[in-house]
Amino acid sequence: MAKGYWVKQVTIQSTDLFIEYIQTVIPWLLSVGGIVIAKDIKQNSDLNEWDGGQLGVVVEFESRAAAQKAFDSSVFQEYIDLRRLSSDLSLSIFG
């Protein structure tokens, strides 16, 4: 069976939201079978602390169906809705 992938980019404006995203979404992805295989972080400035920027992530799943199921899950949809990330999120599913 072919693997499935998320190619995701999200703009995160605050330090608190960035830390929460890393501490919440990444462990959740692992719990649903996702494996982060690449990441790219572009911060708005050269400061040592997060002051806004973009986080790009490629996540591998066992299949395209598993990738779609994770995206459609109430946990992920509620997370992006509660944090108002939907307008700052670009996510494509391949597989």
Side-chain angles (χ1 to χ4, degrees), residues 8-89:
K8 178 173 69 157
Q9 184 171 340
V10 64
T11 300
I12 301 175
Q13 298 301 333
S14 74
T15 302
D16 292 339
L17 190 55
F18 179 76
I19 292 169
E20 178 188 298
Y21 187 87
I22 298 299
Q23 292 178 341
T24 304
V25 174
I26 301 302
W28 172 79
L29 280 170
L30 295 172
S31 77
V32 296
I35 300 169
V36 176
I37 60 172
K39 65 182 181 313
D40 183 38
I41 298 173
K42 294 182 183 174
Q43 189 168 316
N44 289 339
S45 73
D46 292 335
L47 297 175
N48 289 333
E49 294 183 17
W50 185 262
D51 66 340
Q54 295 180 333
L55 173 63
V57 180
V58 178
V59 182
E60 181 179 78
F61 293 88
E62 68 180 33
S63 66
R64 187 182 196 296
Q68 188 68 54
K69 182 178 178 182
F71 177 78
D72 292 337
S73 75
S74 61
V75 172
F76 186 70
Q77 293 302 314
E78 287 174 14
Y79 183 84
I80 60 176
D81 286 345
L82 287 174
R83 274 85 182 162
R84 296 185 175 101
L85 292 175
S86 58
S87 64
D88 296 322
L89 175 68

